[in-house]
Amino acid sequence: MTDAQTHASSDVDLSRFVDLSGRVAIVTGASSGFGARFCRVLAAAGASVVAAARREERLAALAAEVPAVVPVRCDVADDDACRALVATTLERFGRVDVLVNNAGASDAPERVESEDLDHYRAVMDVNINACFVLASLVGPTMIDQRSGSVINIGSVHGQVGSSPNNQAAYVISKHAVVGLTRELSLQWARHNVRVNCIGPGYFETELTAPMFEAEDQGLGWITRNTPMRRAGIEGELDGVLLFLASDASTYCTGQVICVDGGWTAR
């Protein structure tokens, strides 16, 4: 190997792309599905993780399995609970480096003219209003730190409609998550605070299980309509999560990264 080649190799340090040692992350919706997986992944990369959800027993089980996880009960639709979540994190760790707005709710397939308005508002409270509230609460700390990453969990249905599944509240809320991502990224870019969005395609989770089991719009329909001809597999969001949470994405903000088997490329 020449001196030039040796010098070039020594300039490449990839360890920082997956090393979250000393960083603190908040993950909402952490009692199952994507949220529980995200907690494990961030902890494996070295982060201290505050896992937030309503189901305390599941959070306790996760914390018993993953020592870096701190369980905090939080209903993200409750503004006071969100304030308490951020306050608890700052009291314990003194900083917040990553916020993963993952908590989500969905509506049963229904035409918009038949949509229950109370349920519509409940979906909006969890899927978009909570993202706004939590981002506004961690924003001042991240701005003071001159660093931070907000990762909003959207959906392919933040890019396209869901018909024939007819889930208007869900689609509207996920489109709003994209708008929130872009606006906050512009407001906070000069402070070195990044705001991005992951748009998963169809993955089987507790939230999506009823759809996967449906006879008419179930797994067979998902498989036929996804260019890669399958649903997502657990773990296929790990890479993009670590990319956005780590120094691998220091010049990436305001973006929506769809992990969808080609769904939105059609």
Side-chain angles (χ1 to χ4, degrees):
M1 182 178 290
T2 67
D3 290 343
Q5 289 173 320
T6 302
H7 178 71
S9 298
S10 66
D11 286 343
V12 179
D13 178 10
L14 301 182
S15 63
R16 65 193 179 96
F17 290 170
V18 293
D19 185 6
L20 298 178
S21 299
R23 302 191 192 184
V24 178
I26 297 174
V27 179
T28 66
S31 61
S32 66
F34 291 156
R37 175 77 183 193
F38 293 161
C39 289
R40 292 186 176 92
V41 171
L42 294 171
S48 298
V49 183
V50 177
R54 291 177 297 175
R55 294 177 290 190
E56 293 178 278
E57 70 287 350
R58 292 198 179 189
L59 293 178
L62 178 63
E65 178 186 342
V66 185
V69 166
V70 176
V72 176
R73 187 187 185 282
C74 178
D75 178 353
V76 296
D78 182 336
D79 294 351
D80 287 337
C82 290
R83 293 187 189 96
L85 169 64
V86 175
T88 297
T89 303
L90 291 174
E91 287 168 9
R92 175 149 185 166
F93 297 104
R95 61 186 297 117
V96 181
D97 299 286
V98 179
L99 168 65
V100 184
N101 274 320
N102 169 74
S106 186
D107 45 341
E110 187 71 72
R111 292 185 61 84
V112 68
E113 62 269 24
S114 304
E115 184 88 36
D116 179 86
L117 292 181
D118 288 337
H119 189 69
Y120 168 83
R121 293 187 178 98
V123 170
M124 298 299 284
D125 276 343
V126 172
N127 288 3
I128 179 59
N129 296 340
C131 295
F132 177 89
V133 170
L134 283 166
S136 72
L137 290 169
V138 303
T141 295
M142 291 183 172
I143 289 169
D144 287 345
Q145 294 170 179
R146 300 275 316 158
S147 67
S149 176
V150 175
I151 305 170
N152 296 319
I153 305 304
S155 168
V156 291
H157 295 306
Q159 305 291 312
V160 297
S162 68
S163 182
N165 285 317
N166 299 331
Q167 292 182 296
Y170 184 81
V171 171
I172 293 166
S173 68
K174 293 303 184 180
H175 274 71
V177 167
V178 173
L180 176 69
T181 297
R182 289 175 175 155
E183 178 60 24
L184 292 184
S185 74
L186 296 176
Q187 291 192 21
W188 294 346
R190 70 188 64 185
H191 304 291
N192 201 38
V193 177
R194 295 170 288 116
V195 186
N196 292 287
C197 178
I198 300 174
Y202 285 96
F203 287 72
E204 187 169 8
T205 65
E206 186 176 326
L207 185 66
T208 62
M211 179 183 175
F212 272 73
E213 296 165 0
E215 293 184 7
D216 52 348
Q217 304 297 340
L219 180 58
W221 179 82
I222 293 168
T223 301
R224 290 191 303 273
N225 286 280
T226 301
M228 290 186 73
R229 293 295 186 265
R230 65 175 177 85
I233 300 170
E234 182 183 41
E236 290 189 313
L237 297 180
D238 295 358
V240 69
L241 175 72
L242 288 174
F243 169 70
L244 294 176
S246 74
D247 289 347
S249 59
T250 51
Y251 200 51
C252 177
T253 196
Q255 302 306 305
V256 180
I257 303 176
C258 289
V259 184
D260 62 1
W263 187 276
T264 53
R266 296 176 303 168

